Amino acid sequence: MSSLLHITNGDSFTKRLGNLNLKGDVITWREMLCEGETLTNVGSESFWKKRYEFLHKNYKVSKSWFIEKTLKEYRSLCNHKQQDQIVLWFEYDLFCQVNMLAVISWLLANRKYAEISLVCSGKEDESDQLYGLNELTDEQLLSLYRNKKVLSQDDIEYADYVWQLYCSNNPIRLENLSDYEDFQFDYLGDAVKSHLRRFPSIANGLNEMENNILRLGNEKKPGSKGEFLGAILRNQGNLGFGDTQHERALSRLKPLFTNFNPVRLSKKGKEILEGKTSYYSCIKDNDVYLGGSLKYNFLYNTESNRILKL
C-alpha cells in the first residue's frame, strides 16, 4: 500500500489542508528563499547556517525560533522516509516558486524513489486574476488535487537545474533560459522574470519593486504607513511578499520620503522616481544577495529587459 506525504507552502495553508480530510502526513516548508543568499545543497549544515545568519540579521529571527519552526520541520521531513508519493502544494508567485525549486532539488537528492506531484494555484478562472491556495474554495482545492501534475524525471531535473542557476553567482545564465513551456511548471517563467527585475535598474538604481513602492506612495498618497503597506501588498504583482518583507524595503527607501503619516515623497524621491537622478550609490550594499548573486554587482536594463554585469 502506498503512503502519502504533503509538503505545503506555509502554516496558514497547512491548517486549511487539515479541513480537506486528505490522507497522508503534512510537512510545512517554513522558509523564504527568495530573499538572502542561498546555497545549492538544500538542507546541508552550511545551507542552514547561511539561512539563519540572513534571517537573524535582517528579520531578528532568534536561534530558538529558527530551530523550533524551520529546522524541526525540516528534520521531520528527513524522518519521513517511507512515503512513496509526495504532493507539493505551492502557488504562482516568486516567493513560492523559489521555495518549490529548493524542495524539488532536495527531493531529487534524497527521495529518488518517490512519485512527486505538484498542486499549484494561479490562474483558476477566465479572469486574469491569480489566486493563492487560501483564496480558493474547498471544492476548487479538491479539484486541483484531483488534477495534480505528476512530475516526470525531466521535470524534476529541470527544477533542480533552475535552482542551481538561481544559486549561481551570475543571473545572466538564468536570464538565458527559455524552455519553460517544455516542463510542467506553468508559473516558473514569470517568477524568474520577476526575480531578474529585482536587480537595480540602470535608470535610477532602484529595482522594479522599489520603484513600484515610490510610485504607489506618489500616486495614492496613503494617509498612514499601514494604509501604504496595504496598497503595496495589493499591488505587488507576482512577488508574493509579506508585510515584513515590504517593511524592510520601506526602511531602505526611508530617505526618499518626508513622512509616512500621511505618505509623502521627498524632493529627491520624486527626482529618482522620474529618473532624473540615481539612488544607486546611496542604496548600494555589498552584502545583499538575490539567490547566489550579489544584488549590486548587476544592473537591469528596463528597455532591453536584459541584465548587465558591472
Side-chain angles (χ1 to χ4, degrees):
M1 186 174 147
S2 67
S3 55
L4 193 61
L5 176 67
H6 302 272
I7 301 177
T8 73
N9 67 331
D11 290 292
S12 59
F13 184 69
T14 294
K15 283 197 195 99
R16 184 75 195 284
L17 192 59
N19 302 333
L20 297 181
N21 296 320
L22 297 174
K23 289 191 180 106
D25 294 342
V26 183
I27 295 282
T28 309
W29 184 258
R30 294 195 185 104
E31 247 293 7
M32 42 183 269
L33 298 170
C34 57
E35 279 207 298
E37 189 177 0
T38 56
L39 304 180
T40 54
N41 50 348
V42 181
S44 66
E45 199 175 322
S46 54
F47 175 88
W48 289 124
K49 183 173 186 287
K50 193 68 77 182
R51 294 307 301 162
Y52 169 69
E53 283 167 1
F54 167 75
L55 293 165
H56 178 66
K57 180 184 171 189
N58 295 286
Y59 289 100
K60 307 289 179 274
V61 169
S62 68
K63 190 164 262 185
S64 58
W65 192 97
F66 187 70
I67 290 168
E68 187 60 37
K69 294 291 184 186
T70 302
L71 288 187
K72 269 196 180 171
E73 201 71 355
Y74 169 69
R75 285 178 194 139
S76 178
L77 172 60
C78 295
N79 292 333
H80 280 77
K81 291 178 180 161
Q82 306 311 316
Q83 285 87 349
D84 49 14
Q85 287 186 303
I86 298 172
V87 181
L88 309 179
W89 296 81
F90 285 93
E91 297 172 7
Y92 65 87
D93 56 57
L94 174 68
F95 188 108
C96 261
Q97 292 287 299
V98 174
N99 283 341
M100 175 194 79
L101 293 175
V103 171
I104 295 174
S105 179
W106 185 87
L107 291 170
L108 176 64
N110 296 281
R111 297 290 182 270
K112 287 194 184 337
Y113 55 83
E115 177 191 272
I116 301 167
S117 304
L118 177 62
V119 180
C120 190
S121 70
K123 203 170 181 335
E124 305 302 332
D125 54 32
E126 295 309 306
S127 73
D128 285 332
Q129 192 176 341
L130 292 161
Y131 295 90
L133 289 166
N134 277 323
E135 294 174 300
L136 302 178
T137 64
D138 286 359
E139 289 71 30
Q140 285 174 306
L141 288 171
L142 290 168
S143 172
L144 268 183
Y145 179 67
R146 283 191 295 271
N147 296 301
K148 60 188 176 291
K149 295 179 174 180
V150 178
L151 300 182
S152 68
Q153 190 63 22
D154 283 351
D155 292 325
I156 292 164
E157 287 175 5
Y158 184 71
D160 176 59
Y161 177 61
V162 180
W163 171 248
Q164 307 293 324
L165 294 185
Y166 179 81
C167 296
S168 78
N169 63 4
N170 188 338
I172 292 170
R173 287 169 65 206
L174 192 56
E175 178 184 62
N176 290 331
L177 270 187
S178 60
D179 52 354
Y180 298 105
E181 60 282 350
D182 297 342
F183 302 91
Q184 298 192 78
F185 303 106
D186 296 344
Y187 306 102
L188 187 54
D190 285 341
V192 168
K193 279 184 193 148
S194 293
H195 165 61
L196 295 170
R197 289 195 284 261
R198 294 193 295 161
F199 289 93
S201 70
I202 292 173
N204 64 5
L206 297 183
N207 66 17
E208 186 175 74
M209 173 188 170
E210 292 155 350
N211 273 304
N212 185 46
I213 289 171
L214 286 191
R215 201 162 39 246
L216 287 169
N218 194 45
E219 288 170 7
K220 296 195 181 291
K221 298 185 171 47
S224 67
K225 191 175 181 183
E227 203 181 305
F228 191 22
L229 276 169
I232 295 167
L233 281 167
R234 287 190 301 278
N235 295 281
Q236 61 171 316
N238 69 334
L239 291 175
F241 289 180
D243 299 18
T244 48
Q245 287 171 292
H246 283 115
E247 281 195 26
R248 186 164 161 251
L250 270 184
S251 67
R252 284 199 300 276
L253 301 174
K254 200 176 175 187
L256 303 182
F257 293 87
T258 54
N259 203 343
F260 282 127
N261 289 304
V263 174
R264 294 292 180 269
L265 262 67
S266 64
K267 182 171 176 282
K268 186 171 188 181
K270 286 181 178 168
E271 286 173 353
I272 284 164
L273 183 58
E274 289 161 13
K276 291 177 180 169
T277 182
S278 176
Y279 198 50
Y280 182 84
S281 58
C282 306
I283 201 170
K284 184 179 188 293
D285 182 340
N286 294 327
D287 198 28
V288 178
Y289 280 85
L290 295 173
S293 305
L294 282 162
K295 178 178 175 181
Y296 293 100
N297 278 5
F298 301 88
L299 287 174
Y300 188 80
N301 184 337
T302 47
E303 287 177 15
S304 65
N305 293 325
R306 301 295 290 179
I307 295 251
L308 304 169
K309 186 170 183 357
L310 285 175

